[in-house]
Amino acid sequence: MIQIKDKSQCCGCTACASICPHDAITMQPDALGFLYPAVDVGKCVDCGLCEKVCAFNENYDTSLNMAQPDAYAARHKDMREVETSRSGAAFIAISDYVLEQGGVVYGVGYTDHFRVVHKRAISKEERDEFKGSKYVQSDLTGVFRQVKKDLKDGLTVLFSGTPCQTSGLNAYIGKKLRENLILVDIVCHGVPGPYVWRDYIAYLEKKQGSRISWVNFRDKQEYGWAAHHETFKFVNRGGVK
Ligand SMILES: Cc1cc2nc3c(=O)[nH]c(=O)nc-3n(C[C@H](O)[C@H](O)[C@H](O)COP(=O)(O)OP(=O)(O)OC[C@H]3O[C@@H](n4cnc5c(N)ncnc54)[C@H](O)[C@@H]3O)c2cc1C
Ligand code: SF4
Ligand code: SF4
């Protein structure tokens, strides 16, 4: 069974929890809110599937890797899309295509009070919530199983996330169902802890004496490309940088 002795060997992708046939694994937060697998030894039958699926396993299947990747640079033709995305809006262009073909798109949005989670979208309106980087580890609980169900139902699936999340999903899905799965991983140098984000929101709300109603981790429309400012709107006040 999977046991995390070194936290640098787990990205919280949930592949192990998703593959366990006995639902013996739950994802539990550490002090910063990063999620790690915890095994209920009473339910575990030591089948080894969770260890095998983990992308940090040295036997991780890389047979689909290209010897020499093809690299292209692209920017969306519509500057409104570029202004409202964090980078060049390639995600919007690729996901538009998938949705127009009747596929589904997975990406990162919010639930509860700006808790960062992966979600499923079947329309452009739903997908638009995924625009823009949320600089926090997203919660993937239940999502990999939903992706597998969509693929088994014959849908084309675009899943976007950090490279460690797409590696985990790739291993969990396996080769048989890979044909209709499009993986889009973002350039990423690491995700901040969910509890840092949660506590920062609470701090700002206390300071401003008002609840936050809108968040932008990097407001290009207001501050341009070079600046890296989080912007917030409060229920009783205007925007705050
Ligand atoms: C945690 C994090 C770290 C990053 N680090 C770098 C970096 O080091 N260098 C750099 O050049 N760019 C970095 N980026 C920016 C990222 O590479 C661009 O957003 C990406 O290139 C997509 O650009 P876009 O304009 O097509 O879409 P955008 O509108 O910028 O982003 C939307 C896409 O990002 C995904 N996404 C948003 N938040 C998250 C999240 N928390 N976890 C997983 N996926 C998420 C959405 O699902 C969607 O696919 C980072 C982004 C994040 C979220
Ligand atoms: S499969 Fe994912 S969540 Fe499970 S131990 Fe490996 S990296 Fe961590
Ligand atoms: S070894 Fe098998 S039963 Fe035990 S936690 Fe891992 S996947 Fe589940």
Side-chain angles (χ1 to χ4, degrees), residues 13-14 91 94-95 98 103-108 117-120 130 138-148 150-151 156-170 172-173 178 180-186:
C13 75
T14 74
F91 166 69
I94 302 166
S95 55
V98 170
V104 295
V105 172
Y106 287 81
V108 174
V117 295
H118 258 83
K119 287 184 170 179
R120 178 178 188 267
F130 308 158
S138 70
D139 187 343
L140 276 160
T141 303
V143 170
F144 281 12
R145 286 183 178 178
Q146 181 64 50
V147 170
K148 190 175 261 186
D150 284 340
L151 291 168
T156 296
V157 176
L158 182 159
F159 176 92
S160 64
T162 61
C164 54
Q165 291 174 331
T166 55
S167 299
L169 180 64
N170 189 37
Y172 170 68
I173 293 301
R178 271 292 270 113
N180 293 328
L181 175 63
I182 300 166
L183 295 170
V184 173
D185 53 10
I186 57 171

Side-chain angles (χ1 to χ4, degrees), residues 1-61:
M1 78 184 84
I2 206 108
Q3 274 182 315
I4 307 302
K5 294 186 182 120
D6 173 1
K7 284 184 175 177
S8 72
Q9 295 301 302
C10 173
C11 65
C13 75
T14 74
C16 53
S18 306
I19 207 161
C20 177
H22 297 276
D23 287 335
I25 303 179
T26 51
M27 301 301 291
Q28 299 293 335
D30 71 358
L32 292 172
F34 290 116
L35 295 170
Y36 293 96
V39 179
D40 178 343
V41 288
K43 289 183 180 172
C44 174
V45 298
D46 230 353
C47 67
L49 281 175
C50 52
E51 286 164 296
K52 206 172 154 202
V53 80
C54 181
F56 288 80
N57 171 352
E58 57 187 29
N59 299 319
Y60 176 64
D61 182 5

